[in-house]
Amino acid sequence: MAFQQIGEQFCQHYYQTFDSNRAGLMPLYSDQSMLTFEGEQFQGAQNITQKLASLPFTKVQHQIVKCDCQPSMNDGVLIFVTGNLLVDDNQNPLKFAQVFHLMKGPTGNYYCHNDMFRLNIG
């Protein structure tokens, strides 16, 4: 499968899961994974999922505007996403940018090794 397809499929699955069941994101990370969320760093699938599940909103919807992908070392995939974020009942979308670095795990499945998220405010 081509790196663009892998990246797009990952993003679609990630955001659908995030929007419906944030705790369900844990299998997409490993113990070595790192998340930088608005400048705060979290390492390991458990800590990352706890952070994402604790975000202070009940309803969220991601709208992907662009999903740029590149191949990286060892069959990895680098993904840069820009999009809109609809939170709770607010009709004014927030702009966001997110970077994922996917790596192949021991079983050959991809997991998110690096994840960086920023709101584009200002």
Side-chain angles (χ1 to χ4, degrees):
M1 189 181 313
F3 64 88
Q4 186 72 33
Q5 279 182 294
I6 293 165
E8 289 173 0
Q9 286 179 8
F10 174 84
C11 288
Q12 187 177 26
H13 177 68
Y14 178 90
Y15 292 122
Q16 282 177 350
T17 305
F18 192 109
D19 294 352
S20 60
N21 173 26
R22 283 176 266 167
L25 293 170
M26 189 145 55
L28 301 181
Y29 295 98
S30 78
D31 290 340
Q32 290 77 43
S33 296
M34 180 166 274
L35 165 69
T36 302
F37 188 91
E38 292 290 324
E40 273 188 283
Q41 292 186 333
F42 303 88
Q43 182 144 23
Q46 182 88 32
N47 293 331
I48 291 169
T49 308
Q50 280 177 344
K51 170 60 181 174
L52 297 176
S54 73
L55 294 171
F57 47 76
T58 51
K59 237 169 65 180
V60 63
Q61 181 186 356
H62 290 81
Q63 299 171 333
I64 298 172
V65 174
K66 295 288 181 193
C67 177
D68 297 318
C69 304
Q70 291 183 352
S72 69
M73 294 174 42
N74 301 321
D75 291 328
V77 180
L78 189 62
I79 308 166
F80 178 56
V81 179
T82 54
N84 299 314
L85 195 60
L86 293 166
V87 176
D88 292 327
D89 292 321
N90 190 342
Q91 293 305 308
N92 297 320
L94 301 168
K95 303 287 185 192
F96 78 92
Q98 192 160 13
V99 174
F100 299 104
H101 185 207
L102 306 184
M103 299 294 291
K104 273 194 176 176
T107 61
N109 291 338
Y110 283 94
Y111 72 95
C112 182
H113 188 72
N114 301 94
D115 181 354
M116 293 183 278
F117 177 90
R118 279 276 179 193
L119 289 172
N120 300 334
I121 300 172

